[in-house]
Amino acid sequence: MRITVTVDGTSYTDEVEPRLLLVHYLRDRLGKVGTVVGCDTSNCGACTVHLNGRSVKSCSVLAVQADGSEVTTVEGLATDGSLHPVQQAFHDNHALQCGYCTPGMIMSTLDLLGENPDPDEQQVRFGLEGNLCRCTGYQNIVAAAQDAARRLRDTDATAGGGR
């Protein structure tokens, strides 16, 4: 099947097998290897991307389902060589060990903060449910999400409010 999808701001038109998963399309066809395959069963969240602005586990979405859509991967967040505030908060708060879950955690955090710009610890933990980290106790991940929330609020205040 022929699909056209915009990934990280670039439009792609490709012939794909109807059974090709979005995660494999992104990694194997487009080279977006920041989107990782963790479990292939939608349990871990490592493959989370944004599809039309909402986080989805790309191992549970067919590439043909993304036809006509906009996909944002973790690689698409940085601009002009600068990390996105959520990426920077994860870096500054040491919210990773092996880093395997980090792309999915970042994408899910971005979605969470879009819905709740000032989450408390429990809201962060609930909002990131479905994203598993096998290395940490999640404390630094929660701290990074709350730090990212502050950074985004500060950015909005400096920019005059619009996100």
Side-chain angles (χ1 to χ4, degrees):
M1 295 185 70
R2 187 175 198 78
I3 64 167
T4 299
V5 62
T6 301
V7 179
D8 297 336
T10 302
S11 181
Y12 299 90
T13 299
D14 285 301
E15 290 289 329
V16 298
E17 297 237 357
R19 65 184 178 187
L20 181 67
L21 293 173
L22 180 58
V23 67
H24 295 298
Y25 176 72
L26 293 171
R27 289 180 59 80
D28 302 339
R29 291 278 184 95
L30 304 185
K32 300 292 184 172
V33 295
T35 302
V36 297
V37 179
C39 66
D40 254 343
T41 61
S42 77
N43 286 319
C44 75
C47 67
T48 301
V49 298
H50 286 187
L51 180 63
N52 294 326
R54 298 295 303 187
S55 61
V56 298
K57 295 176 181 178
S58 61
C59 74
S60 65
V61 176
L62 297 170
V64 296
Q65 291 174 293
D67 185 31
S69 297
E70 185 169 324
V71 176
T72 304
T73 70
V74 72
E75 290 106 330
L77 297 180
T79 54
D80 299 325
S82 297
L83 294 176
H84 184 279
V86 175
Q87 292 171 311
Q88 191 65 54
F90 269 69
H91 176 270
D92 293 348
N93 286 275
H94 311 287
L96 60 117
Q97 281 184 359
C98 81
Y100 208 79
C101 70
T102 305
M105 288 286 188
I106 287 171
M107 299 308 287
S108 293
T109 296
L110 193 57
D111 197 32
L112 165 67
L113 298 180
E115 293 177 15
N116 182 353
D118 191 14
D120 62 26
E121 180 180 343
Q122 184 174 354
Q123 291 168 324
V124 170
R125 288 180 184 277
F126 181 77
L128 296 180
E129 191 174 70
N131 288 77
L132 302 177
C133 176
R134 292 171 177 91
C135 300
T136 73
Y138 294 93
Q139 193 55 42
N140 288 355
I141 293 169
V142 172
Q146 290 182 301
D147 184 24
R150 283 188 292 279
R151 292 171 192 239
L152 291 172
R153 286 193 311 272
D154 290 349
T155 301
D156 283 351
T158 303
R163 199 175 261 178

